[in-house]
Amino acid sequence: MNRLLLAGSLSLLLSFSVSAAPTDAYTQRDVMQCGGVEVVLVSSCRSVTVQANEDQLLPVCSDQTINIGGKLLRRDIDKVSQRTSDGSVTSMLSNVVVTMDCLNGTKGSLVSIGGYGGCGACPEWCGYYSTAGQLKQYSYSNAYRSFGSKGSSEELIKAYGVTAKQLREESPTLKRISYGQP
């Protein structure tokens, strides 16, 4: 009798601790090649949209990882709560990746990842990674102030042989990330 009661209680406890994923959840993979390595952005998102009266009009994504040549990376991005088109309040990333690019220099290649915060004055994130998956330089800022940075453009130019123009302008090979259930 005690075993039956224990098994029933355990089964009931497990059913309450597992929460179902939303039925509109999807995982998106965006892939490009850079300097002979594969770069994969994996986004965990929902197909709902943010309501138009919310602060940050972004794709509703709860997680993103970047895999560069087998090295799994995650940007340090806060989450915000936004009301979505289905009427629920959802915790989502406050900044999602919107571009991926490969900058080929005379001494090596750099992976460029760009993110956006979803409003006119929200922060933009731009990071440059080596093809070994090491963050070499980033800036996180908006039109009003800088929230942080690492490295410098001059260091990238010297180490990888890229040009200031490559770091400043969009290239023809830039991959824009479109979100939506595949």
Side-chain angles (χ1 to χ4, degrees), residues 90-171:
T90 301
S91 178
M92 55 188 259
L93 296 174
S94 65
N95 187 290
V96 296
V97 173
V98 293
T99 60
M100 295 169 49
D101 202 358
C102 180
L103 306 180
N104 293 308
T106 58
K107 300 177 185 177
S109 298
L110 285 170
V111 175
S112 171
I113 304 290
Y116 176 63
C119 69
C122 290
E124 293 183 8
W125 190 94
C126 182
Y128 295 98
Y129 295 85
S130 70
T131 54
Q134 298 170 326
L135 180 61
K136 294 298 182 179
Q137 195 264 337
Y138 77 89
S139 62
Y140 186 61
S141 62
N142 64 16
Y144 305 108
R145 66 179 191 177
S146 176
F147 298 95
S149 62
K150 171 189 177 186
S152 70
S153 297
E154 292 79 22
E155 291 170 351
L156 295 179
I157 291 168
K158 184 177 178 181
Y160 291 91
V162 294
T163 65
K165 183 178 179 179
Q166 283 177 294
L167 297 173
R168 185 178 60 245
E169 297 178 7
E170 293 183 355
S171 80

Side-chain angles (χ1 to χ4, degrees), residues 41-57:
L41 170 69
V42 178
S43 305
S44 299
C45 303
R46 293 183 58 204
S47 58
V48 295
T49 58
V50 173
Q51 287 186 359
N53 61 343
E54 290 294 317
D55 295 333
Q56 293 176 289
L57 301 177

